[in-house]
Amino acid sequence: MASCDSFLPGATFVLLNAKGGTALDDCDSKEVRGHSFHGKPNQQWKFINTGNEWAIQSCRMAKEGGPVYLSLKNTLSQNAHLAMSPRPLSWYVWRVEGGLRIGWPNTSYVVELGNQGSSEAGTQVIIAHLKVNDPVQVWHFSRVDIINSEGPPGVPLTPNAAPEIKSEGTDSEGDTL
């Protein structure tokens, strides 16, 4: 596994599913679904280092005004739905060919775009057992300030500007990003 320490902290990312092409979307600060890319704050994510793992924070604030984090709707199980929570949870995040995988610590569960990676807007994002080489569990990532180079970092992306996934150099182990 390639380390994420060299590129995740302090940056804001858009995550697109490698199969469906839809963006990881914090819907109403409650549910997490795959939606067509528009680049607004509910499709922008910050990775907060919690030691050996990462809390994943939406750039959309909760209606009550506080931050919300990637979580589970109910208990950890195959096909459990992802949701948002005001409490940060820790996730494993690691580089794979073509993007990132996001997994539940000390298990074989990873984040997956449901319905076999459907490109249909509103597809539920779930947690499922790791399937090696399956793009439904891989998320392309692009820094918001890189794909939105016409404005200051963190400005929402324009709705019709689909992001081009670009390499960002190498990480601390010399792996290409």
Side-chain angles (χ1 to χ4, degrees), residues 143-154:
R143 283 181 41 181
V144 170
D145 60 336
I146 290 175
I147 58 178
N148 188 27
S149 60
E150 298 189 19

Side-chain angles (χ1 to χ4, degrees), residues 53-166:
E53 299 156 354
W54 301 89
I56 303 172
Q57 179 184 346
S58 173
C59 288
R60 177 197 301 212
M61 299 301 257
K63 292 180 176 147
E64 299 78 28
V68 289
Y69 302 88
L70 192 64
S71 185
L72 292 175
K73 191 169 188 176
N74 294 307
T75 60
L76 179 64
S77 63
Q78 178 71 12
N79 299 320
H81 292 191
L82 267 64
M84 302 306 297
S85 171
R87 292 178 310 208
L89 294 177
S90 292
W91 297 86
Y92 280 154
V93 178
W94 69 98
R95 292 287 319 260
V96 295
E97 186 174 338
L100 298 174
R101 284 195 197 270
I102 301 168
W104 192 263
N106 304 312
T107 72
S108 65
Y109 287 116
V110 296
V111 174
E112 174 178 309
L113 181 61
N115 200 20
Q116 290 82 42
S118 173
S119 60
E120 183 178 335
T123 299
Q124 189 72 50
V125 177
I126 61 174
I127 195 136
H129 288 290
L130 176 65
K131 300 173 205 154
V132 178
N133 300 322
D134 193 338
V136 302
Q137 297 178 337
V138 175
W139 299 88
H140 297 303
F141 62 100
S142 194
R143 283 181 41 181
V144 170
D145 60 336
I146 290 175
I147 58 178
N148 188 27
S149 60
E150 298 189 19
V155 172
L157 303 168
T158 55
N160 296 322
E164 177 182 339
I165 307 302
K166 297 181 180 180

